[in-house]
Amino acid sequence: MRPLQYLRPENPEAAVAAMHSAPGGAYLAGGTNLVDHLKLGVATPDLLVDISRLPLGGIEPTTDGGVRIGATVSNTGLAVHPTIRDHYPGLSQALLSGASAQIRNAATVGGNLLQRTRCVYFRDPTTPCNKRDPGSGCAALGGFNRQHAVLGGSDRCVATHPSDMAVAMVALDAVVVVLGATGERRIPIEEFYRLPGDDPQSDTVLDHDDLVVAVELPAPQNAVACYRKVRDRASYAFALVSVAADLTVSAGTVTGCRLAYGGVATRPWRAHRAEEVVLGHAPDDATFAAAADAELVDARPLAGNAFKMPLLRRTTVAVLRDLTARATREERS
Ligand code: SF4
């Protein structure tokens, strides 16, 4: 039996103060990831700071036409919110594809951002894993790596980030609002996630006591958008490949394109190179395939996951082709 203290702070500042003085502590919200890790022995905190009842559950418009989403909003609550469904449909689709209704009802926005990889070795404390146990090695590099990353990996870790929601938020240029010991700061979501490099134990740039309090989305663009997830089975599973995209087409030319990839990279992956290939060109399959190829130039497939490269290429083409058809219809109507 491992002793474990539990604290329910009255406000976010008290939560941060408690975590600041507890180097072995962990924040607890929906618990859909952390409680698994407690049972598996992957996480061994000595203090749980329960933030689930803090006043961080709102979805509010911002003065610049965007929306601020509290960190403890449930995944279901966000997916079905009228503003999200109407103006950020790719985000709603990503959330609905992410997990069963039971898990979505408990899981929070902040927790979704911070969920850990589903690499099977990370979740098995009997195996070497640099992310869980720094310096112990990486069992996936020479082991079962079908689910692992082709982009953003290192010789220390090639685990994919599992969140669908975060991929959609990366495509939307979301900003993560964080409360730390020195106050609040705002971090563009692309800068929020870090690559594994030589020290894969940290997935984000957060300090130990930092508390995610909200995510802000900029004003919606006049674009068609979607999130498509390819997985091993039709029911809930983590992405082999996913694509979040929005597209604007005017007079036969792509005038706006935002693309992000999931399931293929060590962090939710903004596909800047692919966007550059598409922008200003005719929206056809050849351009879309060239865009995916440009993004994959630095890909490093492993023994078990090279199939993700043609799969990502085909999914990119299919998504952008469908969005082009929708955008063209809307332009005509
Ligand atoms: Fe651990 Fe990363 Fe290697 Fe998986 S890929 S075993 S998470 S170090």
Side-chain angles (χ1 to χ4, degrees):
M1 184 73 76
R2 195 188 304 273
L4 180 64
Q5 289 187 297
Y6 173 86
L7 182 71
R8 189 182 292 161
E10 303 235 322
N11 53 58
E13 290 75 16
V16 172
M19 194 60 72
H20 190 66
S21 55
Y27 291 119
L28 172 70
T32 55
N33 194 216
L34 179 59
V35 172
D36 278 356
H37 289 172
L38 296 178
K39 293 177 187 170
L40 292 166
V42 170
T44 55
D46 54 19
L47 170 68
L48 291 180
V49 177
D50 185 348
I51 61 165
S52 62
R53 300 187 194 192
L54 294 179
L56 301 172
I59 301 175
E60 311 286 346
T62 58
T63 53
D64 63 358
V67 60
R68 180 179 168 110
I69 304 158
T72 60
V73 171
S74 75
N75 286 193
T76 296
L78 185 59
V80 303
H81 192 277
T83 299
I84 304 302
R85 290 178 89 132
D86 292 347
H87 300 295
Y88 305 94
L91 176 57
S92 181
Q93 292 161 11
L95 285 156
L96 294 173
S97 75
S100 67
Q102 293 91 336
I103 290 177
R104 289 200 309 268
N105 291 345
T108 64
V109 167
N112 192 323
L113 286 177
L114 296 172
Q115 64 182 298
R116 308 301 308 273
T117 182
R118 259 55 176 195
C119 172
V120 291
Y121 304 107
F122 176 76
R123 292 166 65 86
D124 178 357
T126 67
T127 61
C129 171
N130 289 321
K131 189 180 278 295
R132 171 177 33 76
D133 183 12
S136 63
C138 172
L141 285 171
F144 178 74
N145 50 39
R146 182 176 181 275
Q147 304 277 349
H148 288 70
V150 296
L151 290 167
S154 71
D155 57 6
R156 302 289 174 89
C157 180
V158 287
T160 49
H161 194 276
S163 173
D164 295 292
M165 182 197 79
V167 175
M169 286 182 169
V170 165
L172 290 168
D173 295 311
V175 172
V176 183
V177 185
V178 173
L179 180 66
T182 57
E184 195 170 282
R185 64 191 195 279
R186 304 169 83 255
I187 307 171
I189 192 166
E190 256 199 287
E191 297 168 22
F192 180 77
Y193 290 107
R194 57 183 298 283
L195 296 173
D198 290 337
D199 52 346
Q201 62 270 28
S202 301
D203 299 338
T204 70
V205 298
L206 292 181
D207 292 328
H208 169 70
D209 51 4
D210 281 338
L211 175 66
V212 173
V213 294
V215 176
E216 291 182 359
L217 304 180
Q221 297 195 351
N222 186 24
V224 289
C226 78
Y227 183 79
R228 186 169 302 179
K229 179 175 180 179
V230 181
R231 47 194 160 182
D232 274 327
R233 57 177 193 245
S235 183
Y236 294 102
F238 291 94
L240 295 170
V241 162
S242 71
V243 176
D246 62 42
L247 194 72
T248 311
V249 177
S250 179
T253 300
V254 177
T255 55
C257 178
R258 296 188 296 189
L259 268 175
Y261 291 152
V264 293
T266 51
R267 66 180 179 191
W269 192 265
R270 183 68 180 261
H272 290 291
R273 288 177 176 171
E275 291 173 0
E276 283 174 20
V277 170
V278 173
L279 276 170
H281 289 89
D284 55 38
D285 285 7
T287 299
F288 302 151
D293 289 344
E295 199 61 47
L296 287 167
V297 159
D298 293 334
R300 289 171 56 190
L302 304 160
N305 68 359
F307 74 94
K308 288 190 175 186
M309 297 177 58
L311 184 59
L312 182 67
R313 190 175 193 259
R314 288 197 301 272
T315 309
T316 301
V317 171
V319 164
L320 293 178
R321 184 195 296 146
D322 288 356
L323 289 179
T324 298
R326 282 174 49 198
T328 305
R329 278 198 304 274
E330 289 186 13
E331 192 183 19
R332 286 184 186 137
S333 63

